[in-house]
Amino acid sequence: MLGKEVFARRREKLKNILKEGDAILLVGHPAAIRNNDNHHLFRQESSLYYFTGCKEENTVMLFRPGMTPEYTLFLRPKDAIAELWDGYRHGVEGAKRDLLADEAYEVSMLGKMLLPLLKDSNRLYYQLGLDPKMDSDVLAALERVRAAKGRTGLGILPLYDATEITGEARIIKDEEEIDLMRKSGQIAAEAHKEAMRFTEVGKTEKQIQGVLSFKFLNAGADDYAYHPIVGTGNNATVLHYRDNDKLCKDGDLLLIDAGCEYDFYASDITRTFPVNGKFTAAQTKLYQAVLKAQLETIEIIKPGTLFSEVQEKAIESLSASLKELEILEESVEEIISQKLYRKYYPHNIGHWIGLDVHDRGKYLIQQESRPLEEGMMLTIEPGLYIPEGDMDAPAEYRGMGIRIEDDILVTKDGYENLTKDVPKEIPEIEALMAEKSFLA
Ligand SMILES: [Mn+2]
């Protein structure tokens, strides 16, 4: 768990990003309710957590750089009965003491307090759509701010999308985040290794998912970072396959895309390996093509490399392999220029990762691809997917979906692979699969 000084340092970042007269208002998701009154695990919205450290639902943060108060929190009041049912609340006093708020109010005061707190601001950053109830409260407050200006002819406070600000603050990871991301990556890596040991003909995808769950929670993770994909055979060619309810059959490949959330930080790993522990000749050829693309792409990661160059590297490598394996017959130049590779490689090379598995942050700056910087984190996940019904592809590859994914930190002069502990070279995978799982 991070100390309150870490969150204070992150709020300092806002002062560099925001201009004088700006205000940023951050709200969370409403608590999840299903089956009428059955609360699901509440997980704070990532940006609100990033700047406050507050894990409670119904929290709102207002930050006005240079103003007094600069940092205001709105949150639930202390309530002995409610706390008996649902647990501790910071309350107004706790917000100042534990979360270092300059000022705090009960969240029911939000509508009333936004008027005095926003009337001298020039513009407001806010993310619409997270919580419709909050949206209407905020918009009503803005209308009152406009009305309070009387016959000045001034309009409603201009509203800007807060995600641009929060994304830019979050895209360069601080030391504490890098440590948590390493830990998240290690836990997920150990889980993938156990899944490899455990997998054999006759196991179900769901049983393998169970191994991942056990390894995540047993190692101290809080949850999945996203619903895991455990897909055998043709299921692996469905990019967002989520049923995980089929039997693992002899001769099939298994694709696992799974990561955990450790103290709010996500990992995201994909590995593909044969159910029976031995790659066939055809599986080897397709697998090596994806592995080659992944290794070549990771190799160019360093400060200054453009995100688009990372993307192009993967496209070049996979396109050359599609030609070489005679999956596509056009020239490599045509495969690239006509985007023919998209039939078998339909997604992008990766995404930012951090508090969210698909983390905030721009990929383009003024329409230009952005250079990587020290402290950024991204996934590298090339793949090739040949559906069983694709009669254009050579028969030996049909029904195979292969993706290999690692989480990469951009360092001062290169990169660090946070999830390298899971093997991806064929001999290492086969050796690990020959070991027996303690869960088998
Ligand atoms: Mn991913």
mmCIF file of all heavy atoms in Angstrom, residues 142 145-147 149 152-158:
data_model
loop_
_atom_site.group_PDB
_atom_site.id
_atom_site.type_symbol
_atom_site.label_atom_id
_atom_site.label_comp_id
_atom_site.label_asym_id
_atom_site.label_seq_id
_atom_site.Cartn_x
_atom_site.Cartn_y
_atom_site.Cartn_z
ATOM 1 N N LEU A 142 -22.605 24.079 -12.638
ATOM 2 C CA LEU A 142 -22.016 24.998 -13.620
ATOM 3 C C LEU A 142 -23.030 26.039 -14.064
ATOM 4 O O LEU A 142 -22.699 27.214 -14.265
ATOM 5 C CB LEU A 142 -21.512 24.214 -14.837
ATOM 6 C CG LEU A 142 -20.277 23.353 -14.591
ATOM 7 C CD1 LEU A 142 -19.860 22.653 -15.883
ATOM 8 C CD2 LEU A 142 -19.117 24.182 -14.060
ATOM 9 N N VAL A 145 -23.118 28.580 -11.469
ATOM 10 C CA VAL A 145 -21.941 29.459 -11.575
ATOM 11 C C VAL A 145 -22.200 30.525 -12.641
ATOM 12 O O VAL A 145 -21.929 31.711 -12.446
ATOM 13 C CB VAL A 145 -20.665 28.641 -11.927
ATOM 14 C CG1 VAL A 145 -19.491 29.573 -12.237
ATOM 15 C CG2 VAL A 145 -20.310 27.689 -10.786
ATOM 16 N N ARG A 146 -22.774 30.098 -13.762
ATOM 17 C CA ARG A 146 -23.089 31.061 -14.838
ATOM 18 C C ARG A 146 -24.091 32.093 -14.345
ATOM 19 O O ARG A 146 -23.892 33.312 -14.519
ATOM 20 C CB ARG A 146 -23.663 30.332 -16.056
ATOM 21 C CG ARG A 146 -23.846 31.236 -17.271
ATOM 22 C CD ARG A 146 -24.722 30.598 -18.342
ATOM 23 N NE ARG A 146 -26.082 30.382 -17.867
ATOM 24 C CZ ARG A 146 -27.010 31.347 -17.774
ATOM 25 N NH1 ARG A 146 -26.711 32.582 -18.144
ATOM 26 N NH2 ARG A 146 -28.212 31.078 -17.316
ATOM 27 N N ALA A 147 -25.175 31.607 -13.687
ATOM 28 C CA ALA A 147 -26.216 32.522 -13.215
ATOM 29 C C ALA A 147 -25.658 33.512 -12.199
ATOM 30 O O ALA A 147 -26.056 34.681 -12.164
ATOM 31 C CB ALA A 147 -27.370 31.717 -12.607
ATOM 32 N N LYS A 149 -22.945 34.927 -12.167
ATOM 33 C CA LYS A 149 -22.158 35.996 -12.779
ATOM 34 C C LYS A 149 -23.045 37.179 -13.178
ATOM 35 O O LYS A 149 -22.548 38.207 -13.655
ATOM 36 C CB LYS A 149 -21.410 35.458 -14.005
ATOM 37 C CG LYS A 149 -20.252 34.548 -13.609
ATOM 38 C CD LYS A 149 -19.604 33.898 -14.809
ATOM 39 C CE LYS A 149 -18.442 33.020 -14.384
ATOM 40 N NZ LYS A 149 -18.090 32.023 -15.398
ATOM 41 N N THR A 152 -23.250 39.802 -16.750
ATOM 42 C CA THR A 152 -21.908 40.056 -17.278
ATOM 43 C C THR A 152 -21.806 39.554 -18.706
ATOM 44 O O THR A 152 -20.865 39.886 -19.414
ATOM 45 C CB THR A 152 -20.829 39.320 -16.454
ATOM 46 O OG1 THR A 152 -21.118 37.919 -16.504
ATOM 47 C CG2 THR A 152 -20.817 39.783 -15.010
ATOM 48 N N GLY A 153 -22.781 38.748 -19.106
ATOM 49 C CA GLY A 153 -22.731 38.168 -20.445
ATOM 50 C C GLY A 153 -21.783 36.992 -20.555
ATOM 51 O O GLY A 153 -21.601 36.430 -21.626
ATOM 52 N N LEU A 154 -21.164 36.627 -19.447
ATOM 53 C CA LEU A 154 -20.232 35.492 -19.475
ATOM 54 C C LEU A 154 -21.007 34.169 -19.499
ATOM 55 O O LEU A 154 -22.052 34.050 -18.855
ATOM 56 C CB LEU A 154 -19.301 35.524 -18.259
ATOM 57 C CG LEU A 154 -18.293 36.675 -18.240
ATOM 58 C CD1 LEU A 154 -17.568 36.729 -16.909
ATOM 59 C CD2 LEU A 154 -17.295 36.549 -19.386
ATOM 60 N N GLY A 155 -20.473 33.232 -20.223
ATOM 61 C CA GLY A 155 -21.167 31.953 -20.384
ATOM 62 C C GLY A 155 -20.811 30.959 -19.299
ATOM 63 O O GLY A 155 -20.161 31.289 -18.301
ATOM 64 N N ILE A 156 -21.258 29.736 -19.541
ATOM 65 C CA ILE A 156 -20.972 28.640 -18.610
ATOM 66 C C ILE A 156 -19.455 28.401 -18.618
ATOM 67 O O ILE A 156 -18.775 28.649 -19.617
ATOM 68 C CB ILE A 156 -21.776 27.389 -19.032
ATOM 69 C CG1 ILE A 156 -21.928 26.422 -17.869
ATOM 70 C CG2 ILE A 156 -21.140 26.700 -20.218
ATOM 71 C CD1 ILE A 156 -23.012 25.385 -18.117
ATOM 72 N N LEU A 157 -18.942 27.946 -17.484
ATOM 73 C CA LEU A 157 -17.516 27.640 -17.374
ATOM 74 C C LEU A 157 -17.133 26.631 -18.464
ATOM 75 O O LEU A 157 -17.750 25.581 -18.564
ATOM 76 C CB LEU A 157 -17.286 27.022 -15.993
ATOM 77 C CG LEU A 157 -15.900 26.999 -15.386
ATOM 78 C CD1 LEU A 157 -15.318 28.400 -15.302
ATOM 79 C CD2 LEU A 157 -15.993 26.395 -13.995
ATOM 80 N N PRO A 158 -16.141 26.948 -19.286
ATOM 81 C CA PRO A 158 -15.817 25.970 -20.341
ATOM 82 C C PRO A 158 -15.316 24.644 -19.761
ATOM 83 O O PRO A 158 -14.526 24.624 -18.821
ATOM 84 C CB PRO A 158 -14.724 26.656 -21.157
ATOM 85 C CG PRO A 158 -14.327 27.858 -20.419
ATOM 86 C CD PRO A 158 -15.309 28.140 -19.332
#
